[in-house]
Amino acid sequence: MSLEHPTRDAGETEDGAVDYDALASLLGDAVLDREDHVNAEAFVIRPDDVQEVLSTLRDEAGFDHLSLLTAQEYQDRYESIYHLTKYADRTQEVGVVVPTSKTEPVSETASPVFETANWHEREAYDLVGIEYEGHPDLVRILLPETWQGHPLSLDYDQTKPQIVPIRENVNPLLEDTQAASEGDPDTMFVNIGPHHPATHGVLHIETVLDGEQVLDVEPDIGYLHRCEEQMAQQGHYRHEIMPYPDRWDYTANMTNEWAYARAAEDLADIEVPDYAQVLRTLGVELSRMTGHFLALGTFSLDVNGDFTATFMYTFRDREKVQSILEDLTGQRMMYNYFRLGGVAWDLPDPREEFFEKIREFTNELPRALEEYHNLLTSNEVFQVRTVDTGYLDPEVAKDYGVTGPVARGSGIDYDVRRDDPYGYYPELDWDVATEDGCDNYARVLVRLREVEESAKIVDQCVDLLEDWPDEERTIQSNVPRTLKPDPDTEVYRAVEGAKGELGVYIRSDGTAKPARFKIRSPCFHNLHALPEMAEGEYLPDMIASLGSLDVVLGEVDR
């Protein structure tokens, strides 16, 4: 499953690797220094060179995917790290480090180069306190606008009381409309949420309508913000962080555990036995199916109110998978199955019964999927509601950093499992599902096909586990009781979650706890693109577009 390189970008070697010396030459005097991170090299630049450097890396070197922005404060400076990679080759990565002074933490915005930087920079301002000059709307994004202080800054006083007034929401287009219609506006401002049944979690969408046509959409997030990154920074690497990832995307939980495990294992140079890699792959693909079943059921409920048939059918199949995962992990939802260096325990006894239970489910799955196609994808009403609605152009999707089934539904052939291989995926036979419809219907088709591919992976894992020699069933490598990675070691690693690219950045300070822990949420990026899908369409289509994103607000808000 290797990627082809028909043409080479600037800064790329003949074998498809990144030539960091060539990139440094390309950027010229803009490079002040170079840093070695575990996953990639990073260039240190001036705060006023951000747009020029990122534009050069995107246009001339092909780094078209801004995966993450990490903001942090040191004792002597603030710092923004732009983690760049390529949709055409996920193994090629580069970091752009932008330090600013403690007295004036101001950096040039990257939003004209990558639209996804808009929300990232708002979060960095909100939680850390860095300002981004030229940003189109630098206001808080997770916390109320009246919040005092920045929670991830070093001098933040957690005991300080906060007073949050309730303000009436104002139509953002009212002034322009009044000017155009001489004081007789014909638009209507509608609050959808934050407790609306058609939203997936606690989400507030500020919507401006002209009749039933959507003129303006602004997702308002933060209602489920739980300081997950800060909690991780207060936990020890070895055991105290792993229970938290299950709380991010709580519909397909186990993929989250792998995101943390991959970053921490690379940070501490921990090897994982092959047998444990197969167990991880088995559990994660089962968990991926639970997420897609829930996405399909809730989407059918959003689009055509189908509770008694499709919604219940998806929960029937989701319950079957959860029962298997309960046998494997002892839990039905918050699995906490991964351990650094492997997994918590081996397969349940008797193994033959466990394998038979899995095979019974995968053998019945084709008939279940045929039912879903008969109920939904072949349903004329469902097609009218989803075909050619929620259109998301592939280039626009890349600009927002969209990944997962949403990106693959727009024809973007990108999957971290294949494009930046990890676990046991390179040894297995499976395909990346893509559709070129770019609409709500295409995203449903991708998820249904991905359930099939997950079942293929699960069956192959069962075959491997059945024949694995008893004496080689090592579930964990030998990991020290206390992990203290070298100080100033930095790593950013990602996995393919059910919603898309789920990443974790960690910076070590030489202690048993991370100095900085940053989560890359695929739902955060995908939800940011909602206005591109909804503006100009009708209100019911906007609800369908939101449902097709399959966002989980616990992961968006963290």
Side-chain angles (χ1 to χ4, degrees):
M1 293 187 179
S2 61
L3 287 171
E4 297 180 0
H5 301 275
T7 58
R8 292 208 312 271
D9 296 311
E12 183 177 335
T13 63
E14 290 186 2
D15 59 356
V18 179
D19 187 339
Y20 291 106
D21 291 335
L23 285 182
S25 299
L26 179 66
L27 298 176
D29 294 339
V31 178
L32 303 178
D33 197 3
R34 293 165 68 167
E35 296 181 358
D36 285 323
H37 298 178
V38 174
N39 60 297
E41 195 166 319
F43 299 113
V44 181
I45 67 169
R46 301 177 187 86
D48 54 355
D49 284 341
V50 172
Q51 292 180 21
E52 180 182 353
V53 168
L54 293 184
S55 295
T56 301
L57 289 173
R58 182 194 63 187
D59 299 336
E60 299 186 38
F63 288 94
D64 58 349
H65 180 20
L66 174 55
S67 180
L68 179 68
L69 166 60
T70 300
Q72 53 192 326
E73 182 183 4
Y74 291 80
Q75 292 296 337
D76 62 341
R77 69 188 186 279
Y78 287 87
E79 189 175 273
S80 302
I81 307 176
Y82 295 87
H83 305 270
L84 300 175
T85 183
K86 301 180 180 181
Y87 277 100
D89 185 354
R90 182 60 179 78
T91 62
Q92 296 197 33
E93 300 177 80
V94 66
V96 177
V97 179
V98 188
T100 61
S101 68
K102 293 279 284 191
T103 56
E104 191 178 3
V106 180
S107 175
E108 186 178 44
T109 181
S111 59
V113 185
F114 293 101
E115 184 59 40
T116 188
N118 185 317
W119 273 22
H120 276 294
E121 290 174 349
R122 286 178 60 189
E123 182 182 326
Y125 163 72
D126 191 3
L127 300 184
V128 181
I130 301 175
E131 296 184 13
Y132 295 89
E133 188 174 14
H135 190 284
D137 187 28
L138 192 63
V139 296
R140 292 186 182 272
I141 188 169
L142 295 177
L143 301 175
E145 291 185 27
T146 54
W147 196 267
Q148 302 297 307
H150 305 279
L152 293 183
S153 61
L154 297 180
D155 61 353
Y156 181 70
D157 182 5
Q158 297 191 33
T159 64
K160 183 177 181 178
Q162 300 284 345
I163 300 175
V164 184
I166 299 176
R167 295 180 177 174
E168 183 178 355
N169 291 297
V170 179
N171 184 342
L173 301 184
L174 183 60
E175 222 175 278
D176 295 339
T177 308
Q178 283 181 328
S181 58
E182 298 180 347
D184 184 25
D186 55 1
T187 64
M188 178 171 57
F189 182 82
V190 177
N191 286 305
I192 301 177
H195 301 295
H196 194 281
T199 61
H200 294 240
V202 189
L203 172 66
H204 173 210
I205 302 179
E206 300 173 354
T207 311
V208 179
L209 302 176
D210 181 359
E212 285 195 47
Q213 190 174 26
V214 176
L215 298 183
D216 187 68
V217 172
E218 180 61 38
D220 178 20
I221 63 176
Y223 293 90
L224 278 180
H225 178 58
R226 297 156 293 164
C227 309
E228 289 279 1
E229 294 172 0
Q230 191 176 48
M231 287 191 289
Q233 289 171 196
Q234 296 172 350
H236 291 87
Y237 291 105
R238 187 72 169 87
H239 291 297
E240 294 181 350
I241 297 177
M242 189 59 80
Y244 287 121
D246 283 319
R247 276 83 178 164
W248 303 344
D249 172 8
Y250 39 72
T251 70
N253 319 48
M254 204 178 292
T255 54
N256 312 338
E257 298 178 23
W258 210 334
Y260 167 60
R262 190 180 189 197
E265 287 162 357
D266 279 6
L267 183 74
D269 196 21
I270 297 172
E271 295 290 333
V272 181
D274 284 345
Y275 183 70
Q277 295 284 29
V278 178
L279 292 175
R280 286 180 169 188
T281 305
L282 171 72
V284 163
E285 290 308 310
L286 288 167
S287 183
R288 190 184 312 277
M289 284 193 274
T290 65
H292 284 347
F293 283 136
L294 185 62
L296 186 64
T298 54
F299 186 62
S300 68
L301 196 61
D302 289 342
V303 171
N304 57 4
D306 189 356
F307 180 85
T308 55
T310 309
F311 186 80
M312 296 304 293
Y313 281 17
T314 59
F315 262 81
R316 172 200 65 189
D317 294 327
R318 177 181 164 87
E319 285 292 312
K320 291 178 181 178
V321 182
Q322 282 187 299
S323 178
I324 295 171
L325 288 170
E326 184 179 15
D327 292 342
L328 177 64
T329 69
Q331 303 291 332
R332 292 184 62 80
M333 192 169 183
M334 305 301 176
Y335 305 113
N336 193 22
Y337 182 58
F338 277 51
R339 296 293 182 270
L340 297 187
V343 295
W345 43 72
D346 201 351
L347 299 174
D349 287 324
R351 295 165 65 94
E352 293 74 16
E353 290 186 9
F354 181 68
F355 293 144
E356 182 60 31
K357 188 172 184 178
I358 294 176
R359 284 211 167 92
E360 183 180 348
F361 166 73
T362 56
N363 289 338
E364 293 175 352
L365 189 58
R367 187 174 65 86
L369 291 173
E370 184 180 358
E371 288 177 335
Y372 294 136
H373 283 294
N374 290 336
L375 287 166
L376 288 180
T377 61
S378 301
N379 185 316
E380 184 178 355
V381 175
F382 185 84
Q383 291 176 359
V384 169
R385 292 294 316 279
T386 57
V387 174
D388 294 331
T389 65
Y391 185 84
L392 183 61
D393 182 82
E395 295 306 313
V396 173
K398 291 179 181 180
D399 198 26
Y400 280 86
V402 171
T403 56
V406 181
R408 292 190 285 273
S410 290
I412 300 173
D413 188 10
Y414 180 83
D415 190 307
V416 181
R417 293 173 294 177
R418 178 200 63 190
D419 301 338
D420 186 14
Y422 60 95
Y424 216 75
Y425 290 110
E427 312 302 323
L428 303 175
D429 179 25
W430 58 282
D431 298 307
V432 175
T434 61
E435 295 284 340
D436 57 8
C438 304
D439 55 13
N440 293 327
Y441 188 75
R443 292 185 273 278
V444 173
L445 293 179
V446 167
R447 290 190 179 95
L448 285 170
R449 288 178 56 192
E450 287 192 2
V451 169
E452 295 181 44
E453 295 302 319
S454 291
K456 284 170 55 177
I457 294 173
V458 167
D459 281 337
Q460 292 173 73
C461 288
V462 170
D463 291 340
L464 289 167
L465 293 168
E466 276 188 321
D467 298 332
W468 210 281
D470 293 355
E471 64 276 9
E472 297 179 13
R473 293 175 183 172
T474 306
I475 63 171
Q476 284 189 39
S477 58
N478 188 14
V479 179
R481 183 180 297 274
T482 302
L483 291 174
K484 293 184 178 181
D486 294 336
D488 293 324
T489 306
E490 300 175 66
V491 65
Y492 172 60
R493 284 300 189 198
V495 300
E496 186 68 28
K499 313 297 187 287
E501 182 177 319
L502 176 62
V504 169
Y505 164 89
I506 301 176
R507 174 172 63 86
S508 169
D509 59 1
T511 69
K513 301 178 182 180
R516 182 70 170 102
F517 190 99
K518 173 65 179 172
I519 304 165
R520 194 265 185 204
S521 160
C523 291
F524 184 83
H525 295 75
N526 296 350
L527 180 60
H528 187 194
L530 178 63
E532 298 286 348
M533 303 162 60
E535 291 175 6
E537 299 200 344
Y538 291 108
L539 179 60
D541 298 330
M542 191 270 283
I543 299 299
S545 297
L546 173 63
S548 76
L549 294 177
D550 185 28
V551 294
V552 171
L553 272 299
E555 185 188 88
V556 173
D557 297 344
R558 286 151 285 133

